[in-house]
Amino acid sequence: MRKIERWHSARLRHASQEGVAAYLANEDAEVYNVTDAAVKRDALAAALNLTALTADAVTALAAVTKRDPHEVLRTLQSPSSGHLAAGEATSGGSDSPPGVRIVYPDAMDESDWSMTESTGWIEITVHWAGSKKAITFYDPTRLSQEVQSALAESGYFVERAAVIVPTLSKEAIEAVVALMALRHFVDIR
């Protein structure tokens, strides 16, 4: 039985990766709500698969920034990463567009961030080049809970601009926004 579960989990993960890759490549492939289908079968496996996809994103971030994946992961978890500061424009690297600004819901102190990390989600607004977009950040556990709740309530889950990070923190959010800036925010338009 375990072998079948692992095989099924591997198939779901592979399908998730293909769907995300098709979306990112902007191919003419049909992309369905993979999370919805996965959570209906096994919410825990879906959360674990999202964590695995996050690991792939950390690896991609490491490749883009020419750093070791372990260093990138430490940066995402480190309170002194020095990436984007709340409410401030960034100088950015030579590859990122100037003027990226993250607006948090309120002035957030350490206690607020601790509460946000424990709740597993936050909605921020990112401003860049005359555009702005509200983005909801989740950790995998909270995303799974949100999906289960939405499925039980309405039968489907939808989120316009959702980003999943391994651990919800200011540093993780700012690292992801910096990566999205390098890609000129194509992931959330």
Side-chain angles (χ1 to χ4, degrees):
M1 187 67 173
R2 275 288 208 203
K3 189 174 183 178
I4 292 172
E5 288 174 3
R6 281 192 301 257
W7 177 80
H8 178 69
S9 180
R11 283 188 56 221
L12 283 175
R13 183 167 185 258
H14 182 70
S16 298
Q17 289 172 330
E18 285 181 349
V20 170
Y23 173 77
L24 293 176
N26 200 18
E27 294 176 1
D28 291 332
E30 293 183 40
V31 180
Y32 298 97
N33 188 337
V34 178
T35 304
D36 178 55
V39 170
K40 283 182 183 176
R41 289 185 168 245
D42 187 349
L44 178 60
L48 293 173
N49 287 333
L50 287 170
T51 302
L53 287 172
T54 304
D56 292 343
V58 167
T59 303
L61 178 58
V64 167
T65 60
K66 296 177 178 47
R67 294 187 297 171
D68 177 67
H70 296 285
E71 179 186 347
V72 170
L73 189 57
R74 279 191 303 274
T75 301
L76 292 174
Q77 296 172 343
S78 167
S80 60
S81 68
H83 283 97
L84 306 177
E88 296 178 7
T90 64
S91 58
S94 60
D95 294 335
S96 66
V100 175
R101 188 167 53 101
I102 299 174
V103 179
Y104 294 98
D106 292 310
M108 296 183 61
D109 61 17
E110 193 172 311
S111 173
D112 294 323
W113 277 109
S114 179
M115 180 63 76
T116 298
E117 187 173 331
S118 68
T119 61
W121 76 278
I122 187 171
E123 185 175 298
I124 64 163
T125 304
V126 177
H127 296 259
W128 76 95
S131 298
K132 73 177 183 177
K133 182 77 169 188
I135 304 170
T136 305
F137 281 80
Y138 291 104
D139 68 19
T141 302
R142 182 55 184 249
L143 176 66
S144 178
Q145 293 166 348
E146 290 294 318
V147 170
Q148 287 176 347
S149 176
L151 292 175
E153 199 172 293
S154 63
Y156 67 94
F157 172 81
V158 64
E159 182 82 41
R160 286 197 170 268
V163 176
I164 295 81
V165 291
T167 302
L168 189 64
S169 67
K170 181 178 180 181
E171 293 75 24
I173 290 168
E174 292 171 355
V176 169
V177 170
L179 180 60
M180 289 191 300
L182 289 174
R183 296 176 40 81
H184 304 284
F185 296 97
V186 297
D187 300 323
I188 58 168
R189 286 189 186 199

